[in-house]
Amino acid sequence: MEHVKRIKREVVYEGTIVDFCQDTMELPDGTLQKWDLVHHRKGAAAVVAVDNDGKLVMVKQYRPALDRETLEIPAGARDSVTEDTKIAALRELEEEAGYKANKCELFFKIKSTVAFCDEFIDVYLATDLVETKQNLDPEEFIDVYHVDIDELVKKVFACEIEDSKTVAAIMAYAYKVKK
Amino acid sequence: MEHVKRIKREVVYEGTIVDFCQDTMELPDGTLQKWDLVHHRKGAAAVVAVDNDGKLVMVKQYRPALDRETLEIPAGARDSVTEDTKIAALRELEEEAGYKANKCELFFKIKSTVAFCDEFIDVYLATDLVETKQNLDPEEFIDVYHVDIDELVKKVFACEIEDSKTVAAIMAYAYKVKK
């Protein structure tokens, strides 16, 4: 397929977790355009954790990007670019929600927002949970909820849950278990 | 809930479609931290368009952020910050895929990546389609496919479709029509 080509990438600002780049793109007719590219340095992992009552383990936290609290599946950036995302998913489940999982497998993968960002999130499905202890970073304030999948589906269609990884995860799990 | 507070936001780089900001956040103990915030100026809309055979209208395009082609639902930014997202969704369906829709209702809403970006995408469900004509921007090169929902679900779980709005849309529609 004919398409634009990247001929230059310039990091114009180094952030804390992402860098802002400007790409110079060449159209097939030779025209040049500047395109934004947000580079996520580490990539991320998330986890659909199903407790022993069949409910999903959800975390509620304040998100400055939205200036309000959101209900999400546990998730976080990898510790390094070489960390296995399964390890990262299990660590976030334990740190944010206070659970270990005896079973954990890849569920699906997402790229957050392909138009201008390269962040990826590998989403795992964890079961056979064992309660441990929440272990939050100093800037994290997280409440844990156990929620029935039917209630979560209602919240998606009522636009009460909007975080993209969480919407994808809820609908994928709801599809899997729908009778 | 106790949480961090934003005490300053500074635009450090103005991009083409998004701006890069650095927020100064204050923790409850008084510690200050710098947090990244990518501000999407216009917000966006997307559309799950179901053709008269029950297949989904999908668009394939090269995405520089991923350096490969991806299969997605039609989507795009609003023309302005006041544009109704339903108008934007219907425009993108016509421009990218060449269809008008006689019926179109809000399906769900997402925020792409709440950890560091305020982009929102309102996702509509469009039916009763009428073929018109694709009308692409000079930098757009898009192929249109009509795909069965069962095949799309397989592609999600095979990690062949990863775009977050598209994964959420496929799984929400698959849930809705699952027998």
Side-chain angles (χ1 to χ4, degrees), chain A residues 8-45:
Chain A
K8 199 172 92 174
R9 170 161 297 170
E10 192 187 354
V11 178
V12 292
Y13 193 86
E14 290 187 8
T16 306
I17 56 165
V18 294
D19 294 327
F20 201 95
C21 308
Q22 284 264 289
D23 286 351
T24 304
M25 307 299 296
E26 184 180 64
L27 273 53
D29 69 2
T31 309
L32 298 183
Q33 289 188 342
K34 291 280 185 194
W35 288 27
D36 300 336
L37 191 279
V38 176
H39 170 56
H40 191 278
R41 295 201 203 107
K42 290 183 182 168

Side-chain angles (χ1 to χ4, degrees), chain A residues 1-6 9 12-20 22-23 25 27-28 33-38 40 60-70 72 106-122 138-143 145 150 153 156-157 159 161-165 167-168 171-172 174-179, chain B residues 1-6 9 12-20 22-23 25 27-28 33-38 40 60-70 72 106-122 138-143 145 150 153 156-157 159 161-165 167-168 171-172 174-179:
Chain A
M1 192 197 300
E2 197 177 41
H3 62 70
V4 296
K5 275 190 208 128
R6 187 176 77 216
R9 170 161 297 170
V12 292
Y13 193 86
E14 290 187 8
T16 306
I17 56 165
V18 294
D19 294 327
F20 201 95
Q22 284 264 289
D23 286 351
M25 307 299 296
L27 273 53
Q33 289 188 342
K34 291 280 185 194
W35 288 27
D36 300 336
L37 191 279
V38 176
H40 191 278
K60 187 181 256 187
Q61 63 196 303
Y62 171 81
R63 289 295 199 176
L66 309 178
D67 197 25
R68 61 175 167 76
E69 290 177 1
T70 65
E72 302 172 31
L106 184 65
F107 197 19
F108 60 88
K109 296 182 178 197
I110 58 171
K111 313 287 186 188
S112 308
T113 181
V114 294
F116 60 85
C117 181
D118 61 6
E119 186 197 32
F120 68 84
I121 306 177
D122 290 356
E139 72 276 14
E140 286 184 317
F141 299 90
I142 292 178
D143 287 337
Y145 295 85
D150 292 337
V153 168
V156 167
F157 290 122
C159 302
I161 291 180
E162 297 183 84
D163 171 50
S164 73
K165 68 179 179 295
V167 170
M171 296 317 306
Y175 172 83
K176 185 181 157 75
V177 297
K178 187 176 180 183
K179 296 289 184 287
Chain B
M1 193 196 299
E2 196 177 41
H3 61 71
V4 296
K5 275 189 206 127
R6 187 176 76 218
R9 170 163 296 170
V12 291
Y13 194 86
E14 291 188 8
T16 307
I17 57 166
V18 294
D19 293 327
F20 200 95
Q22 284 264 289
D23 286 352
M25 308 299 296
L27 272 55
Q33 289 188 342
K34 292 281 185 192
W35 287 27
D36 300 336
L37 188 280
V38 177
H40 191 277
K60 187 181 256 187
Q61 63 197 300
Y62 172 81
R63 291 293 200 176
L66 309 178
D67 197 24
R68 62 175 166 79
E69 292 177 1
T70 65
E72 302 173 30
L106 185 64
F107 197 19
F108 59 88
K109 298 182 177 196
I110 57 171
K111 313 288 186 189
S112 308
T113 180
V114 295
F116 61 84
C117 181
D118 63 5
E119 186 196 32
F120 69 83
I121 306 177
D122 290 356
E139 73 275 14
E140 287 184 316
F141 299 89
I142 293 178
D143 287 336
Y145 295 85
D150 291 337
V153 168
V156 167
F157 289 123
C159 302
I161 291 180
E162 297 182 86
D163 170 52
S164 73
K165 67 178 179 298
V167 170
M171 296 317 306
Y175 174 82
K176 185 180 156 76
V177 298
K178 186 175 180 182
K179 296 289 184 289

Side-chain angles (χ1 to χ4, degrees), chain B residues 69-141:
Chain B
E69 292 177 1
T70 65
L71 194 64
E72 302 173 30
I73 57 171
R78 294 191 294 177
D79 274 351
S80 72
V81 292
T82 56
E83 187 182 43
D84 187 322
T85 52
K86 184 176 180 174
I87 304 293
L90 289 170
R91 183 187 58 247
E92 293 295 335
L93 177 60
E94 187 162 8
E95 286 183 2
E96 293 193 345
Y99 285 92
K100 282 180 186 292
N102 287 321
K103 286 183 68 176
C104 182
E105 60 191 31
L106 185 64
F107 197 19
F108 59 88
K109 298 182 177 196
I110 57 171
K111 313 288 186 189
S112 308
T113 180
V114 295
F116 61 84
C117 181
D118 63 5
E119 186 196 32
F120 69 83
I121 306 177
D122 290 356
V123 183
Y124 287 82
L125 181 60
T127 51
D128 197 355
L129 305 187
V130 180
E131 196 164 354
T132 59
K133 200 169 170 304
Q134 211 185 27
N135 178 25
L136 300 172
D137 292 331
E139 73 275 14
E140 287 184 316
F141 299 89

